[in-house]
Amino acid sequence: MTEPMAQTVRKPGTDEFRTSADSTTLEPARSGPGGAPATRGRTTIAGGVVEKIAALAAREVPGVNAMGSGLARTLGAIRPGRASVTRGVKVEVGERQTAIDLEIVVEYGVSITEIAAEIRLNVIAAVERMTELEVVEVNIAVSDVHLPDESEPHLPESRLQ
């Protein structure tokens, strides 16, 4: 089992840092009978929601072959399900900020620095748009390079035409 990220998230407007949480609650600007309906109540965003958004946004980038390490992908093939969607993604969610770690496999021939920049842009845009959390960092670990002949099963050539 992997260890949770040891990153800390800075509280906005302060020099105070806090450790990660499993979810965040967005406080309304005003609440009560005089406030607008959109400000009456709280919205809680689970860390798993941020993980899914980040995973899907990273997979949208051309050149990303898979998410997660080889072992995680092998286990995911045996036990498909929710974990396969967020495989290779870890997040820390604070009150107003989030930090994201991604582990990816790239296609052979792509520029790793260019694909990492595209992934960061796409993940930050998607997470900030959907959650209104500030993404303070997106760390990317490239765990493998997918070769073109790795996914094609080797079939013996037929002697017949």
Side-chain angles (χ1 to χ4, degrees):
M1 199 159 238
T2 60
E3 293 290 321
M5 292 188 319
Q7 301 284 339
T8 56
V9 178
R10 184 178 61 81
K11 287 185 178 180
T14 70
D15 290 329
E16 187 178 338
F17 286 81
R18 67 188 292 271
T19 56
S20 66
D22 290 335
S23 65
T24 187
T25 301
L26 303 177
E27 296 290 336
R30 295 183 330 184
S31 61
T39 63
R40 295 182 191 178
R42 287 186 265 203
T43 302
T44 302
I45 301 171
V49 171
V50 177
E51 286 178 346
K52 280 186 179 181
I53 294 167
L56 294 172
R59 284 184 175 95
E60 289 176 348
V61 176
V64 174
N65 178 269
M67 301 286 292
S69 66
L71 178 61
R73 290 191 321 271
T74 302
L75 292 175
I78 297 169
R79 297 180 309 146
R82 180 188 175 273
S84 65
V85 173
T86 60
R87 182 182 319 121
V89 182
K90 294 179 187 150
V91 302
E92 286 182 58
V93 180
E95 291 178 19
R96 289 288 193 197
Q97 298 175 322
T98 186
I100 302 167
D101 288 344
L102 302 172
E103 187 173 2
I104 64 168
V105 176
V106 297
E107 294 287 344
Y108 175 77
V110 300
S111 167
I112 293 174
T113 56
E114 288 177 13
I115 199 169
E118 288 181 45
I119 291 169
R120 280 188 185 92
L121 287 173
N122 210 38
V123 168
I124 290 169
V127 170
E128 288 185 348
R129 179 180 51 82
M130 293 181 72
T131 67
E132 295 187 12
L133 292 170
E134 176 190 6
V135 178
V136 295
E137 64 184 12
V138 176
N139 299 310
I140 300 171
V142 179
S143 62
D144 200 359
V145 175
H146 179 261
L147 302 176
D149 60 342
E150 285 181 337
S151 63
E152 299 171 11
H154 179 65
L155 300 175
E157 291 185 30
S158 173
R159 295 184 295 174
L160 304 174
Q161 293 191 17

